[in-house]
Amino acid sequence: MTTTHDTVLTSAERLAELDLDQLKQLVGLVEYDSTTDPFPVTGWDAIVWVVGNATQAASYYQLVYGMDLVAYSGPETGNRDHHAYVLESGATRFVLTGAVDPDSPLVEHHRAHGDGISDIALEVPDVDTCIEHARAQGATVLEEPHDVSDEHGTVRRAAIAAYGDTRHTLVDRSRYDGPYLPGFVERRSTIKRDGDHRIFEALDHVVGNVELGRMDEWVDFYNRIMGFTNMAEFVGDDIATEYSALMSKVVASGNHRVKFPLNEPAVGKKRSQIDEYLDFYRGPGAQHLALATSDILATVDALRARGVEFLDTPDSYYTDPELRARIGEVRVPIEELQSRGILVDRDEDGYLLQIFTKPVGDRPTVFFELIERHGSLGFGKGNFQALFEAIEREQAKRGNF
């Protein structure tokens, strides 16, 4: 049995003109019974970044990642503290914030973490119900439920603390038709891009890195506080090489629209990618965003042409007879994937194609994954070894291995 919570589109999905069938293919939605969900989540609301230069970053994500500028807040709108640019691609919304006032709290956040994600905001049907449940289960409430209003209507918001300095703002937009939030004005880009291919259409998952020994604590947080279910677990030899290893568990909202893989380092001969992240981010945080696309080949071609660098995959990956036997037939010849460095994996539900960028900022912390699903509900387990070895090669180049 399903109920309205699992069939409701978020405001961003409606604006992107995506329907449930498209979302099922893009991000692997499943049906669920929401009547017993103590913390119903409609979907992603926004990924809020703190960056060193929001003005330049906004141009970068428009020019390179094909995002559209839709709203703005800053000194010209009465916000003396910082610039905030709201960008969208399909159903995905980024909010890029950068300090104007030298005393802004964003300055200290950026000093500690560099460019990174401060808020993984979620759209919910009932902010008060979610906060009441979260508080009863021991969550730290950072913002009590409250209304913010302007001529476009009213948004109800609240926020809870997650790992490190990350937070989850909970947003109910059902009474609002403005460009983003009160305090923002509509702003459209004057940037002209080549072609009209949409680089990505939805957000598939957000990966969080936490300290050694704390992964299960945060899995319990999402189970207990937010009613998420355990979706997958990767331990031991699942994600390991001769030199380093990590452990990962995946939690997801009932319909799998919101998915959070959570990683912690494992003991190895050398420092893992998670150790490197924790050192340079100065603590736990969001490691990478998986961006869903319906045409990963065109997306990779467009991004490479715009200067994006991806992790290299050795040719031996594609000539491995075990890989060929395991993946079977996919929508393009394996040579097409090999020429672009795209990885492929298959599970009992279907297959997926994926590729990973190098870090997007100066610190070796946040990066992107591009993913194209064809029935698979997984995360590319069969590619973990190749991916991990590729990351180790990059760590060695940086002198952090």
Side-chain angles (χ1 to χ4, degrees):
M1 175 183 176
T2 59
T3 56
T4 56
H5 292 320
D6 59 320
T7 58
V8 170
L9 294 172
T10 68
S11 59
E13 289 163 354
R14 290 193 298 273
L15 288 172
E17 298 181 342
L18 294 175
D19 60 36
L20 286 172
D21 287 337
Q22 290 172 299
L23 287 166
K24 285 176 182 177
Q25 178 176 337
L26 279 169
V27 301
L29 290 190
V30 299
E31 294 185 346
Y32 87 118
D33 180 0
S34 64
T35 58
T36 59
D37 192 339
F39 196 110
V41 173
T42 307
W44 308 100
D45 185 75
I47 302 297
V48 182
W49 300 69
V50 176
V51 298
N53 189 327
T55 301
Q56 289 186 1
S59 295
Y60 172 79
Y61 282 106
Q62 291 174 78
L63 284 166
V64 176
Y65 282 87
M67 302 190 78
D68 295 315
L69 176 64
V70 297
Y72 168 77
S73 173
E76 304 90 335
T77 69
N79 172 9
R80 307 292 297 173
D81 182 76
H82 61 271
H83 290 293
Y85 296 86
V86 183
L87 306 176
E88 292 179 351
S89 179
T92 309
R93 180 186 289 126
F94 286 178
V95 183
L96 305 172
T97 63
V100 173
D101 187 334
D103 295 322
S104 168
L106 298 182
V107 173
E108 177 57 27
H109 191 286
H110 190 264
R111 186 203 64 77
H113 303 301
D115 288 4
I117 294 161
S118 62
D119 192 346
I120 305 169
L122 304 173
E123 187 171 323
V124 300
D126 190 332
V127 171
D128 296 81
T129 295
C130 290
I131 289 294
E132 181 180 358
H133 174 78
R135 194 195 315 276
Q137 294 298 319
T140 299
V141 178
L142 300 175
E143 286 184 23
E144 294 292 339
H146 63 285
D147 289 340
V148 287
S149 302
D150 64 11
E151 67 274 17
H152 298 288
T154 297
V155 177
R156 191 147 182 87
R157 290 163 48 95
I160 59 175
Y163 46 83
D165 288 333
T166 311
R167 62 195 279 153
H168 292 307
T169 296
L170 310 178
V171 183
D172 174 5
R173 299 181 168 278
S174 59
R175 297 176 291 157
Y176 193 72
D177 63 2
Y180 175 53
L181 289 173
F184 285 76
V185 297
E186 182 176 352
R187 176 75 64 87
R188 296 293 175 179
S189 173
T190 58
I191 290 176
K192 303 298 181 184
R193 293 187 297 263
D194 296 331
D196 57 1
H197 169 68
R198 181 180 278 174
I199 297 295
F200 59 97
E201 292 141 291
L203 182 60
D204 189 90
H205 59 270
V206 177
V207 178
N209 285 350
V210 301
E211 309 97 322
L212 178 65
R214 298 198 66 188
M215 176 183 65
D216 286 337
E217 174 186 332
W218 287 104
V219 169
D220 176 70
F221 169 89
Y222 286 105
N223 293 161
R224 182 169 40 85
I225 305 293
M226 300 178 68
F228 281 28
T229 58
N230 293 345
M231 186 176 173
E233 178 176 315
F234 309 106
V235 296
D237 294 334
D238 288 335
I239 318 181
T241 69
E242 177 185 355
Y243 300 107
S244 63
L246 64 85
M247 295 184 289
S248 182
K249 294 184 179 180
V250 184
V251 296
S253 62
N255 59 10
H256 292 188
R257 187 183 255 114
V258 174
K259 299 181 284 288
F260 292 136
L262 297 164
N263 301 333
E264 73 173 17
V267 177
K269 295 178 182 178
K270 296 187 178 182
R271 297 166 67 244
S272 74
Q273 56 167 292
I274 311 304
D275 292 312
E276 182 187 43
Y277 176 97
L278 294 170
D279 286 348
F280 282 87
Y281 197 73
R282 291 293 188 264
Q287 178 210 45
H288 78 261
L289 306 178
L291 308 174
T293 173
S294 58
D295 188 347
I296 196 170
L297 279 75
T299 289
V300 170
D301 289 347
L303 289 176
R304 272 216 173 89
R306 298 171 189 178
V308 172
E309 294 184 310
F310 294 92
L311 295 180
D312 293 326
T313 304
D315 288 338
S316 58
Y317 169 87
Y318 299 95
T319 57
D320 180 358
E322 288 189 13
L323 173 79
R324 294 296 188 101
R326 180 170 54 82
I327 65 171
E329 292 295 321
V330 296
R331 73 172 182 86
V332 294
I334 198 75
E335 291 76 17
E336 290 289 311
L337 304 178
Q338 181 176 358
S339 68
R340 295 168 173 84
I342 295 171
L343 305 169
V344 58
D345 192 41
R346 183 178 289 276
D347 58 27
E348 62 272 16
D349 299 301
Y351 71 92
L352 61 80
L353 307 174
Q354 62 187 164
I355 193 171
F356 299 81
T357 73
K358 293 182 179 181
V360 298
D362 293 322
R363 301 191 196 187
T365 52
V366 184
F367 58 93
F368 293 121
E369 171 185 352
L370 281 303
I371 186 168
E372 178 184 320
R373 293 186 182 273
H374 291 270
S376 171
L377 301 177
F379 298 87
K381 178 180 177 180
N383 295 324
F384 287 169
Q385 185 82 10
L387 171 63
F388 212 71
E389 290 173 352
I391 291 176
E392 285 181 346
R393 290 191 293 271
E394 293 299 318
Q395 283 181 259
K397 292 177 185 178
R398 295 190 287 262
N400 297 329
F401 187 38

